[in-house]
């Protein structure tokens, strides 16, 4: 098999929850308001402005001069992911089956490690289910190449031996493709130029053969 490792994004890729997205967005706006000393309405305007400019909140924090680690500490204190995210036991089986085939498994998220652990726990997963975990505590957030290059280095593989799976083309899948990684986009509305498109991450095992070239 050409693919020797698979690196997954977490939010929107391993699961999708509109309810949690709204809940998380509210927590982010509250944290911004407190850190910047503005009211919630002003913080919401800043949130949307930053996202339109740099696509991700994590990258936007640098523009705002906000410490990323302090920000995520405040967000973690405000969120309860398991109220919205349900366990997906099939995910653990998917990861285990891939590892049984000799494929290394990683995850790469713009969340902090603590928040990522919370979300994975809601899904019925833990850090032990992955050979590597890269968060915004470890590398500059996507779409920066930092985390991708770190994953390639830790795995000790060529870029074309690594499959990157994400749900946002410009923010996370396109940067992987530019580096020479194989790519899979998880989306109900295929766009961009990934190697394969998936409606759900659980479709991946049946599509891996398409990458053996």
């Amino acid at each position: 098999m050409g693919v020797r490792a698979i690196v997954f994004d977490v939010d929107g890729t391993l699961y999708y929850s509109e309810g949690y997205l709204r809940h998380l967005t509210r927590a982010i706006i509250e944290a911004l308001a407190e850190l910047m000393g503005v009211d919630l309405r002003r913080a919401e305007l800043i949130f949307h402005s930053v996202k339109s400019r740099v696509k991700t909140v994590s990258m936007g924090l640098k523009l705002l001069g906000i410490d990323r680690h302090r920000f995520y500490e405040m967000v973690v204190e405000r969120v309860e992911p398991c109220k919205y995210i349900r366990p997906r036991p099939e995910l653990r089986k998917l990861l285990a089956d891939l590892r049984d085939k000799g494929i290394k498994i990683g995850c790469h998220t713009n969340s902090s490690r603590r928040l990522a652990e919370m979300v994975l726990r809601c899904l019925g997963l833990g850090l032990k289910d992955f050979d590597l975990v890269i968060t915004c505590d470890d590398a500059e957030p996507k779409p920066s190449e930092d985390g991708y290059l770190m994953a390639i280095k830790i795995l000790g593989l060529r870029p074309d031996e690594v499959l990157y799976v994400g749900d946002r083309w410009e923010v996370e899948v396109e940067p992987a493709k530019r580096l020479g990684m194989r790519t899979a986009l998880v989306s109900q509305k295929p766009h961009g130029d990934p190697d394969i498109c998936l409606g759900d991450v659980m479709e991946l095992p049946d599509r891996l053969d398409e990458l053996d070239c």
Side-chain angles (χ1 to χ4, degrees):
M1 177 175 289
V3 173
R4 298 178 59 192
I6 302 175
V7 179
F8 294 91
D9 168 55
V10 178
D11 301 303
T13 298
L14 297 183
Y15 76 95
Y16 181 77
S17 169
E18 191 69 40
Y20 178 61
L21 181 59
R22 289 193 297 268
H23 175 63
L24 178 62
T25 298
R26 177 68 179 184
I28 287 171
I29 290 170
E30 288 177 357
L32 287 175
E34 184 172 336
L35 287 166
M36 300 185 74
V38 300
D39 60 30
L40 288 174
R41 178 57 183 156
R42 177 62 179 157
E44 184 176 3
L45 291 173
I46 292 170
F47 166 79
H48 290 299
S49 173
V50 165
K51 282 206 73 175
S52 69
R53 289 173 64 189
V54 294
K55 307 299 183 184
T56 73
V57 174
S58 297
M59 287 293 283
L61 295 174
K62 182 181 292 187
L63 289 180
L64 297 172
I66 292 175
D67 180 79
R68 192 163 67 233
H69 306 293
R70 175 64 182 138
F71 170 80
Y72 274 107
E73 286 175 4
M74 295 177 68
V75 169
V76 163
E77 297 303 322
R78 288 171 163 81
V79 295
E80 298 180 81
C82 293
K83 282 189 173 182
Y84 305 91
I85 301 171
R86 298 289 175 258
R88 293 193 74 183
E90 67 273 23
L91 271 179
R92 171 166 278 180
K93 184 177 187 306
L94 167 67
L95 300 183
D97 288 348
L98 291 171
R99 290 173 102 179
D100 286 345
K101 293 178 180 179
I103 298 176
K104 294 181 180 180
I105 302 298
C107 77
H108 176 206
T109 174
N110 274 0
S111 294
S112 66
R113 183 168 293 262
R114 188 175 168 200
L115 182 55
E117 284 188 73
M118 290 171 66
V119 169
L120 290 172
R121 187 160 56 247
C122 298
L123 290 167
L125 298 172
L127 298 184
K128 65 182 182 298
D129 292 299
F130 299 90
D131 297 297
L132 72 109
V133 175
I134 297 173
T135 72
C136 74
D137 294 338
D138 310 301
E140 286 298 304
K142 298 175 270 186
S144 166
E145 295 179 351
D146 195 25
Y148 302 88
L149 294 172
M150 183 180 292
I152 291 167
K153 182 176 180 179
I154 292 172
L155 291 166
L157 299 173
R158 299 192 313 271
D160 65 343
E161 295 176 311
V162 182
L163 171 65
Y164 195 93
V165 184
D167 68 299
R168 296 178 294 176
W169 168 250
E170 289 184 24
V171 172
E172 55 201 19
V173 179
E174 187 178 25
K177 192 174 183 72
R178 284 200 303 267
L179 289 171
M181 301 168 79
R182 309 290 186 90
T183 54
L185 178 71
V186 179
S187 176
Q188 295 296 324
K189 298 178 180 179
H191 55 284
D193 186 31
D195 294 301
I196 55 175
C197 291
L198 309 170
D200 186 280
V201 71
M202 294 306 300
E203 298 171 13
L204 181 59
D206 293 334
R207 303 289 302 280
L208 280 178
D209 287 347
E210 297 176 32
L211 300 172
D212 287 346
C213 57

